[in-house]
Amino acid sequence: MIQELIHEREMLKQTAVAEIGSKWAEAQLISGPILTFPMQFEKNENQKTSSYVEHLHVLPDDLKVTGTIYPEQLKRGIFTAIVYRSDIEIRGTFQVPAAFDEAHFVGIKGEKATINVGLGDLRGVEEVVNLKWGTETFAVSPGSTIPDLQTAGFHVALPMEKLSPGAEIPFSIQLKLRGSESIYFIPVGQTTEIKLSSAWPSPKFDGKFLPNDRKLDENGFEASWKILELNRNFPQRWKNEAFNAQLKGAAFGVELLSPMEDYQKSLRSAKYALLTISLTFLMFFLVEILGKKNIHPFQYLMVGLSICLFYVLLIAISEHSNFNFAYLVAMSAVIITICMYSLPLFKSKKYTLALGGVLLGTFGFIFVTLQMEDYALLMGSVGLFVILAATMYITRNIDWYNIKGSSQSE
């Protein structure tokens, strides 16, 4: 039930974050620019002429992206979502095909090519966007003319007279872009270089490519990527939908997320609940046997419920503060409650202090294990072995077949 509660609260947070993103702007994926030529063909068969169009996609020779990400935190109720504003500069060069010497080719449809840039969410565009093409500047239009490659974005229609055959034409685009949680890129350049910086202290680099260089500290991060044509699984030119899947699968970038969410830590700690309850019950049982005390099953039940409430307190407090503080408060409350309850029951400060030590050691062991993502299994295995060995040593001389008889005789 506690694990279901954690999943429920986590889903509520995800719903709140999604709602904030739906109103601010979703995660951004920048794809492009891609130069597309609608090539018109005519074919004569059986004295009939049929015409059709194929789209030739040309990628830039070099692509350089420089971006600064400014993170912000927005709240919906008690839940917080990470959003950002960013300044993105995209620049590079295109080499226009020298000729279209293919069979049955008759010309470019409409005598225009298009430059398309894909975005994850157009609502994130904050200012007017222009494409600087050579020495000229063109205003962009919303929507993508190649929806199979880019579901959303903007484009510029370029007359063929602006595309001298074989020419290398520089371009640049300035973007002021909003988004939520992450920003990704697709390496469309023959050589793609991307540099990002932000004041967010805990980024998660993800996708097909990791940064070649990165700098992380409490003031934020700087990261740079360099991807060559040979590093990806699609060429510089293709027609129609030949490499759509490969292009979409090459995304990489950064997420502005903490490496371990509080709900994940709470769920991991709940998986150790059986260990905590078992060790506490074992301590009560040993006091009952070795100290010759009569402990009622109802008293076991009260102690077990107190430990279960630790996880409820942990979830509730961590939603309003950081996880470490919530863990300390919940642990202190439960240990003090159980020890105060056990003192008149045991009628012994020694046994009560021993119980407090067991609880403190168990909760401390779980807390340390939660902080060690890479070594959690090793830490947990060694800790459980030590606990089992200590239990076996303490109970080695107990005659389990004659516990009741020996208690009555003594």
Side-chain angles (χ1 to χ4, degrees), residues 46-74:
N46 301 324
Q47 297 182 344
K48 292 183 178 180
T49 301
S50 60
S51 62
Y52 59 95
V53 175
E54 293 187 346
H55 290 85
L56 173 66
H57 306 298
V58 179
L59 303 185
D61 284 359
D62 64 276
L63 180 68
K64 293 181 173 62
V65 179
T66 305
T68 304
I69 302 170
Y70 307 99
E72 300 180 21
Q73 297 187 34
L74 298 182

PDB file of all heavy atoms in Angstrom, residues 46-74:
ATOM      1  N   ASN A  46       4.033   3.584 -72.607  1.00  0.00           N
ATOM      2  CA  ASN A  46       2.857   3.223 -73.405  1.00  0.00           C
ATOM      3  C   ASN A  46       2.163   4.459 -73.981  1.00  0.00           C
ATOM      4  O   ASN A  46       0.932   4.596 -73.937  1.00  0.00           O
ATOM      5  CB  ASN A  46       1.863   2.396 -72.581  1.00  0.00           C
ATOM      6  CG  ASN A  46       2.493   1.115 -72.058  1.00  0.00           C
ATOM      7  OD1 ASN A  46       3.314   0.492 -72.741  1.00  0.00           O
ATOM      8  ND2 ASN A  46       2.095   0.724 -70.849  1.00  0.00           N
ATOM      9  N   GLN A  47       3.013   5.404 -74.479  1.00  0.00           N
ATOM     10  CA  GLN A  47       2.534   6.630 -75.109  1.00  0.00           C
ATOM     11  C   GLN A  47       1.728   7.510 -74.149  1.00  0.00           C
ATOM     12  O   GLN A  47       0.920   8.329 -74.570  1.00  0.00           O
ATOM     13  CB  GLN A  47       1.686   6.300 -76.357  1.00  0.00           C
ATOM     14  CG  GLN A  47       2.476   5.595 -77.440  1.00  0.00           C
ATOM     15  CD  GLN A  47       1.631   5.325 -78.665  1.00  0.00           C
ATOM     16  OE1 GLN A  47       0.409   5.392 -78.612  1.00  0.00           O
ATOM     17  NE2 GLN A  47       2.295   5.030 -79.796  1.00  0.00           N
ATOM     18  N   LYS A  48       1.939   7.294 -72.851  1.00  0.00           N
ATOM     19  CA  LYS A  48       1.305   8.137 -71.838  1.00  0.00           C
ATOM     20  C   LYS A  48       2.383   8.793 -70.993  1.00  0.00           C
ATOM     21  O   LYS A  48       3.362   8.131 -70.615  1.00  0.00           O
ATOM     22  CB  LYS A  48       0.370   7.325 -70.955  1.00  0.00           C
ATOM     23  CG  LYS A  48      -0.863   6.809 -71.680  1.00  0.00           C
ATOM     24  CD  LYS A  48      -1.790   6.078 -70.703  1.00  0.00           C
ATOM     25  CE  LYS A  48      -3.051   5.601 -71.428  1.00  0.00           C
ATOM     26  NZ  LYS A  48      -3.968   4.880 -70.502  1.00  0.00           N
ATOM     27  N   THR A  49       2.189  10.049 -70.684  1.00  0.00           N
ATOM     28  CA  THR A  49       3.166  10.785 -69.869  1.00  0.00           C
ATOM     29  C   THR A  49       2.647  10.911 -68.443  1.00  0.00           C
ATOM     30  O   THR A  49       1.520  11.374 -68.223  1.00  0.00           O
ATOM     31  CB  THR A  49       3.401  12.189 -70.447  1.00  0.00           C
ATOM     32  OG1 THR A  49       3.879  12.071 -71.787  1.00  0.00           O
ATOM     33  CG2 THR A  49       4.420  12.949 -69.600  1.00  0.00           C
ATOM     34  N   SER A  50       3.455  10.461 -67.509  1.00  0.00           N
ATOM     35  CA  SER A  50       3.095  10.585 -66.089  1.00  0.00           C
ATOM     36  C   SER A  50       4.163  11.417 -65.382  1.00  0.00           C
ATOM     37  O   SER A  50       5.349  11.324 -65.702  1.00  0.00           O
ATOM     38  CB  SER A  50       2.997   9.208 -65.430  1.00  0.00           C
ATOM     39  OG  SER A  50       4.233   8.522 -65.514  1.00  0.00           O
ATOM     40  N   SER A  51       3.708  12.249 -64.493  1.00  0.00           N
ATOM     41  CA  SER A  51       4.643  13.094 -63.753  1.00  0.00           C
ATOM     42  C   SER A  51       4.552  12.770 -62.258  1.00  0.00           C
ATOM     43  O   SER A  51       3.496  12.384 -61.753  1.00  0.00           O
ATOM     44  CB  SER A  51       4.351  14.571 -63.994  1.00  0.00           C
ATOM     45  OG  SER A  51       3.063  14.898 -63.524  1.00  0.00           O
ATOM     46  N   TYR A  52       5.655  12.931 -61.567  1.00  0.00           N
ATOM     47  CA  TYR A  52       5.695  12.688 -60.121  1.00  0.00           C
ATOM     48  C   TYR A  52       6.794  13.555 -59.514  1.00  0.00           C
ATOM     49  O   TYR A  52       7.664  14.076 -60.220  1.00  0.00           O
ATOM     50  CB  TYR A  52       5.921  11.212 -59.804  1.00  0.00           C
ATOM     51  CG  TYR A  52       7.198  10.632 -60.372  1.00  0.00           C
ATOM     52  CD1 TYR A  52       8.362  10.573 -59.609  1.00  0.00           C
ATOM     53  CD2 TYR A  52       7.234  10.141 -61.683  1.00  0.00           C
ATOM     54  CE1 TYR A  52       9.531  10.042 -60.130  1.00  0.00           C
ATOM     55  CE2 TYR A  52       8.401   9.614 -62.209  1.00  0.00           C
ATOM     56  CZ  TYR A  52       9.538   9.565 -61.431  1.00  0.00           C
ATOM     57  OH  TYR A  52      10.698   9.042 -61.941  1.00  0.00           O
ATOM     58  N   VAL A  53       6.724  13.714 -58.189  1.00  0.00           N
ATOM     59  CA  VAL A  53       7.672  14.578 -57.471  1.00  0.00           C
ATOM     60  C   VAL A  53       8.408  13.748 -56.417  1.00  0.00           C
ATOM     61  O   VAL A  53       7.795  12.962 -55.686  1.00  0.00           O
ATOM     62  CB  VAL A  53       6.952  15.760 -56.795  1.00  0.00           C
ATOM     63  CG1 VAL A  53       7.930  16.573 -55.940  1.00  0.00           C
ATOM     64  CG2 VAL A  53       6.296  16.652 -57.848  1.00  0.00           C
ATOM     65  N   GLU A  54       9.695  13.920 -56.363  1.00  0.00           N
ATOM     66  CA  GLU A  54      10.518  13.329 -55.306  1.00  0.00           C
ATOM     67  C   GLU A  54      11.262  14.444 -54.589  1.00  0.00           C
ATOM     68  O   GLU A  54      11.713  15.403 -55.224  1.00  0.00           O
ATOM     69  CB  GLU A  54      11.499  12.306 -55.859  1.00  0.00           C
ATOM     70  CG  GLU A  54      10.825  11.066 -56.412  1.00  0.00           C
ATOM     71  CD  GLU A  54      11.836   9.997 -56.810  1.00  0.00           C
ATOM     72  OE1 GLU A  54      13.054  10.319 -56.902  1.00  0.00           O
ATOM     73  OE2 GLU A  54      11.415   8.856 -57.045  1.00  0.00           O
ATOM     74  N   HIS A  55      11.386  14.320 -53.271  1.00  0.00           N
ATOM     75  CA  HIS A  55      12.026  15.371 -52.480  1.00  0.00           C
ATOM     76  C   HIS A  55      13.476  14.980 -52.173  1.00  0.00           C
ATOM     77  O   HIS A  55      13.726  13.932 -51.547  1.00  0.00           O
ATOM     78  CB  HIS A  55      11.265  15.598 -51.177  1.00  0.00           C
ATOM     79  CG  HIS A  55       9.924  16.230 -51.382  1.00  0.00           C
ATOM     80  ND1 HIS A  55       8.790  15.496 -51.673  1.00  0.00           N
ATOM     81  CD2 HIS A  55       9.533  17.545 -51.376  1.00  0.00           C
ATOM     82  CE1 HIS A  55       7.758  16.311 -51.808  1.00  0.00           C
ATOM     83  NE2 HIS A  55       8.178  17.555 -51.639  1.00  0.00           N
ATOM     84  N   LEU A  56      14.388  15.818 -52.626  1.00  0.00           N
ATOM     85  CA  LEU A  56      15.802  15.623 -52.326  1.00  0.00           C
ATOM     86  C   LEU A  56      16.156  16.447 -51.091  1.00  0.00           C
ATOM     87  O   LEU A  56      16.003  17.673 -51.095  1.00  0.00           O
ATOM     88  CB  LEU A  56      16.679  16.062 -53.503  1.00  0.00           C
ATOM     89  CG  LEU A  56      18.192  16.066 -53.253  1.00  0.00           C
ATOM     90  CD1 LEU A  56      18.703  14.644 -53.020  1.00  0.00           C
ATOM     91  CD2 LEU A  56      18.934  16.725 -54.425  1.00  0.00           C
ATOM     92  N   HIS A  57      16.608  15.782 -50.034  1.00  0.00           N
ATOM     93  CA  HIS A  57      16.992  16.454 -48.795  1.00  0.00           C
ATOM     94  C   HIS A  57      18.511  16.600 -48.753  1.00  0.00           C
ATOM     95  O   HIS A  57      19.244  15.609 -48.891  1.00  0.00           O
ATOM     96  CB  HIS A  57      16.518  15.657 -47.584  1.00  0.00           C
ATOM     97  CG  HIS A  57      15.054  15.353 -47.600  1.00  0.00           C
ATOM     98  ND1 HIS A  57      14.083  16.330 -47.586  1.00  0.00           N
ATOM     99  CD2 HIS A  57      14.387  14.170 -47.651  1.00  0.00           C
ATOM    100  CE1 HIS A  57      12.890  15.773 -47.604  1.00  0.00           C
ATOM    101  NE2 HIS A  57      13.035  14.454 -47.652  1.00  0.00           N
ATOM    102  N   VAL A  58      18.970  17.825 -48.548  1.00  0.00           N
ATOM    103  CA  VAL A  58      20.407  18.127 -48.485  1.00  0.00           C
ATOM    104  C   VAL A  58      20.708  18.696 -47.098  1.00  0.00           C
ATOM    105  O   VAL A  58      20.036  19.643 -46.646  1.00  0.00           O
ATOM    106  CB  VAL A  58      20.814  19.125 -49.585  1.00  0.00           C
ATOM    107  CG1 VAL A  58      22.303  19.441 -49.480  1.00  0.00           C
ATOM    108  CG2 VAL A  58      20.461  18.570 -50.964  1.00  0.00           C
ATOM    109  N   LEU A  59      21.721  18.149 -46.436  1.00  0.00           N
ATOM    110  CA  LEU A  59      22.115  18.600 -45.106  1.00  0.00           C
ATOM    111  C   LEU A  59      23.293  19.566 -45.202  1.00  0.00           C
ATOM    112  O   LEU A  59      24.054  19.530 -46.173  1.00  0.00           O
ATOM    113  CB  LEU A  59      22.482  17.406 -44.227  1.00  0.00           C
ATOM    114  CG  LEU A  59      21.398  16.336 -44.063  1.00  0.00           C
ATOM    115  CD1 LEU A  59      21.862  15.268 -43.073  1.00  0.00           C
ATOM    116  CD2 LEU A  59      20.087  16.948 -43.614  1.00  0.00           C
ATOM    117  N   PRO A  60      23.478  20.422 -44.216  1.00  0.00           N
ATOM    118  CA  PRO A  60      24.587  21.404 -44.261  1.00  0.00           C
ATOM    119  C   PRO A  60      25.952  20.744 -44.148  1.00  0.00           C
ATOM    120  O   PRO A  60      26.103  19.687 -43.516  1.00  0.00           O
ATOM    121  CB  PRO A  60      24.298  22.305 -43.057  1.00  0.00           C
ATOM    122  CG  PRO A  60      23.402  21.525 -42.173  1.00  0.00           C
ATOM    123  CD  PRO A  60      22.608  20.619 -43.043  1.00  0.00           C
ATOM    124  N   ASP A  61      26.938  21.379 -44.776  1.00  0.00           N
ATOM    125  CA  ASP A  61      28.311  20.867 -44.684  1.00  0.00           C
ATOM    126  C   ASP A  61      28.847  20.980 -43.268  1.00  0.00           C
ATOM    127  O   ASP A  61      29.523  20.074 -42.777  1.00  0.00           O
ATOM    128  CB  ASP A  61      29.230  21.625 -45.654  1.00  0.00           C
ATOM    129  CG  ASP A  61      29.027  21.158 -47.095  1.00  0.00           C
ATOM    130  OD1 ASP A  61      28.190  20.255 -47.306  1.00  0.00           O
ATOM    131  OD2 ASP A  61      29.692  21.691 -47.994  1.00  0.00           O
ATOM    132  N   ASP A  62      28.606  22.102 -42.659  1.00  0.00           N
ATOM    133  CA  ASP A  62      29.004  22.258 -41.256  1.00  0.00           C
ATOM    134  C   ASP A  62      27.876  22.951 -40.515  1.00  0.00           C
ATOM    135  O   ASP A  62      27.154  23.768 -41.079  1.00  0.00           O
ATOM    136  CB  ASP A  62      30.318  23.040 -41.124  1.00  0.00           C
ATOM    137  CG  ASP A  62      30.191  24.462 -41.627  1.00  0.00           C
ATOM    138  OD1 ASP A  62      30.334  24.677 -42.845  1.00  0.00           O
ATOM    139  OD2 ASP A  62      29.925  25.354 -40.806  1.00  0.00           O
ATOM    140  N   LEU A  63      27.742  22.589 -39.245  1.00  0.00           N
ATOM    141  CA  LEU A  63      26.679  23.144 -38.416  1.00  0.00           C
ATOM    142  C   LEU A  63      27.263  23.466 -37.045  1.00  0.00           C
ATOM    143  O   LEU A  63      27.856  22.593 -36.391  1.00  0.00           O
ATOM    144  CB  LEU A  63      25.532  22.143 -38.271  1.00  0.00           C
ATOM    145  CG  LEU A  63      24.337  22.603 -37.429  1.00  0.00           C
ATOM    146  CD1 LEU A  63      23.593  23.733 -38.120  1.00  0.00           C
ATOM    147  CD2 LEU A  63      23.403  21.438 -37.142  1.00  0.00           C
ATOM    148  N   LYS A  64      27.113  24.707 -36.636  1.00  0.00           N
ATOM    149  CA  LYS A  64      27.591  25.144 -35.324  1.00  0.00           C
ATOM    150  C   LYS A  64      26.421  25.733 -34.543  1.00  0.00           C
ATOM    151  O   LYS A  64      25.738  26.633 -35.035  1.00  0.00           O
ATOM    152  CB  LYS A  64      28.717  26.167 -35.459  1.00  0.00           C
ATOM    153  CG  LYS A  64      30.010  25.618 -36.045  1.00  0.00           C
ATOM    154  CD  LYS A  64      31.083  26.691 -36.125  1.00  0.00           C
ATOM    155  CE  LYS A  64      32.426  26.113 -36.547  1.00  0.00           C
ATOM    156  NZ  LYS A  64      32.391  25.510 -37.896  1.00  0.00           N
ATOM    157  N   VAL A  65      26.192  25.198 -33.356  1.00  0.00           N
ATOM    158  CA  VAL A  65      25.101  25.671 -32.503  1.00  0.00           C
ATOM    159  C   VAL A  65      25.698  26.116 -31.175  1.00  0.00           C
ATOM    160  O   VAL A  65      26.451  25.364 -30.536  1.00  0.00           O
ATOM    161  CB  VAL A  65      24.047  24.566 -32.254  1.00  0.00           C
ATOM    162  CG1 VAL A  65      22.936  25.092 -31.345  1.00  0.00           C
ATOM    163  CG2 VAL A  65      23.473  24.069 -33.572  1.00  0.00           C
ATOM    164  N   THR A  66      25.376  27.322 -30.781  1.00  0.00           N
ATOM    165  CA  THR A  66      25.803  27.856 -29.484  1.00  0.00           C
ATOM    166  C   THR A  66      24.556  28.246 -28.705  1.00  0.00           C
ATOM    167  O   THR A  66      23.697  28.960 -29.223  1.00  0.00           O
ATOM    168  CB  THR A  66      26.718  29.081 -29.658  1.00  0.00           C
ATOM    169  OG1 THR A  66      27.822  28.725 -30.498  1.00  0.00           O
ATOM    170  CG2 THR A  66      27.252  29.548 -28.306  1.00  0.00           C
ATOM    171  N   GLY A  67      24.455  27.758 -27.463  1.00  0.00           N
ATOM    172  CA  GLY A  67      23.252  28.033 -26.699  1.00  0.00           C
ATOM    173  C   GLY A  67      23.518  28.294 -25.235  1.00  0.00           C
ATOM    174  O   GLY A  67      24.423  27.690 -24.643  1.00  0.00           O
ATOM    175  N   THR A  68      22.748  29.192 -24.669  1.00  0.00           N
ATOM    176  CA  THR A  68      22.756  29.456 -23.230  1.00  0.00           C
ATOM    177  C   THR A  68      21.354  29.181 -22.707  1.00  0.00           C
ATOM    178  O   THR A  68      20.378  29.711 -23.237  1.00  0.00           O
ATOM    179  CB  THR A  68      23.159  30.905 -22.923  1.00  0.00           C
ATOM    180  OG1 THR A  68      24.438  31.182 -23.510  1.00  0.00           O
ATOM    181  CG2 THR A  68      23.247  31.122 -21.416  1.00  0.00           C
ATOM    182  N   ILE A  69      21.279  28.355 -21.668  1.00  0.00           N
ATOM    183  CA  ILE A  69      19.988  27.938 -21.110  1.00  0.00           C
ATOM    184  C   ILE A  69      19.806  28.609 -19.759  1.00  0.00           C
ATOM    185  O   ILE A  69      20.690  28.531 -18.886  1.00  0.00           O
ATOM    186  CB  ILE A  69      19.931  26.407 -20.962  1.00  0.00           C
ATOM    187  CG1 ILE A  69      20.169  25.736 -22.324  1.00  0.00           C
ATOM    188  CG2 ILE A  69      18.598  25.962 -20.375  1.00  0.00           C
ATOM    189  CD1 ILE A  69      20.365  24.249 -22.235  1.00  0.00           C
ATOM    190  N   TYR A  70      18.650  29.257 -19.597  1.00  0.00           N
ATOM    191  CA  TYR A  70      18.340  29.945 -18.342  1.00  0.00           C
ATOM    192  C   TYR A  70      17.198  29.198 -17.639  1.00  0.00           C
ATOM    193  O   TYR A  70      16.034  29.347 -18.012  1.00  0.00           O
ATOM    194  CB  TYR A  70      17.936  31.393 -18.616  1.00  0.00           C
ATOM    195  CG  TYR A  70      18.947  32.154 -19.454  1.00  0.00           C
ATOM    196  CD1 TYR A  70      18.754  32.322 -20.828  1.00  0.00           C
ATOM    197  CD2 TYR A  70      20.097  32.687 -18.879  1.00  0.00           C
ATOM    198  CE1 TYR A  70      19.681  33.003 -21.601  1.00  0.00           C
ATOM    199  CE2 TYR A  70      21.025  33.372 -19.644  1.00  0.00           C
ATOM    200  CZ  TYR A  70      20.816  33.525 -21.001  1.00  0.00           C
ATOM    201  OH  TYR A  70      21.747  34.206 -21.771  1.00  0.00           O
ATOM    202  N   PRO A  71      17.519  28.375 -16.638  1.00  0.00           N
ATOM    203  CA  PRO A  71      16.479  27.561 -16.001  1.00  0.00           C
ATOM    204  C   PRO A  71      15.593  28.371 -15.063  1.00  0.00           C
ATOM    205  O   PRO A  71      16.025  29.357 -14.459  1.00  0.00           O
ATOM    206  CB  PRO A  71      17.283  26.514 -15.222  1.00  0.00           C
ATOM    207  CG  PRO A  71      18.581  27.185 -14.921  1.00  0.00           C
ATOM    208  CD  PRO A  71      18.861  28.107 -16.079  1.00  0.00           C
ATOM    209  N   GLU A  72      14.356  27.959 -14.948  1.00  0.00           N
ATOM    210  CA  GLU A  72      13.396  28.534 -14.010  1.00  0.00           C
ATOM    211  C   GLU A  72      12.598  27.394 -13.379  1.00  0.00           C
ATOM    212  O   GLU A  72      12.541  26.288 -13.923  1.00  0.00           O
ATOM    213  CB  GLU A  72      12.441  29.501 -14.722  1.00  0.00           C
ATOM    214  CG  GLU A  72      13.119  30.684 -15.386  1.00  0.00           C
ATOM    215  CD  GLU A  72      12.118  31.612 -16.069  1.00  0.00           C
ATOM    216  OE1 GLU A  72      10.922  31.564 -15.691  1.00  0.00           O
ATOM    217  OE2 GLU A  72      12.532  32.365 -16.967  1.00  0.00           O
ATOM    218  N   GLN A  73      11.991  27.666 -12.235  1.00  0.00           N
ATOM    219  CA  GLN A  73      11.152  26.687 -11.569  1.00  0.00           C
ATOM    220  C   GLN A  73       9.742  27.257 -11.424  1.00  0.00           C
ATOM    221  O   GLN A  73       9.560  28.331 -10.874  1.00  0.00           O
ATOM    222  CB  GLN A  73      11.716  26.321 -10.193  1.00  0.00           C
ATOM    223  CG  GLN A  73      13.097  25.667 -10.271  1.00  0.00           C
ATOM    224  CD  GLN A  73      13.580  25.151  -8.929  1.00  0.00           C
ATOM    225  OE1 GLN A  73      12.787  24.691  -8.111  1.00  0.00           O
ATOM    226  NE2 GLN A  73      14.871  25.225  -8.693  1.00  0.00           N
ATOM    227  N   LEU A  74       8.777  26.514 -11.948  1.00  0.00           N
ATOM    228  CA  LEU A  74       7.371  26.899 -11.837  1.00  0.00           C
ATOM    229  C   LEU A  74       6.641  25.889 -10.967  1.00  0.00           C
ATOM    230  O   LEU A  74       6.971  24.692 -10.986  1.00  0.00           O
ATOM    231  CB  LEU A  74       6.714  26.958 -13.220  1.00  0.00           C
ATOM    232  CG  LEU A  74       7.293  27.972 -14.213  1.00  0.00           C
ATOM    233  CD1 LEU A  74       6.508  27.928 -15.512  1.00  0.00           C
ATOM    234  CD2 LEU A  74       7.285  29.380 -13.629  1.00  0.00           C
TER     235      LEU A  74
END
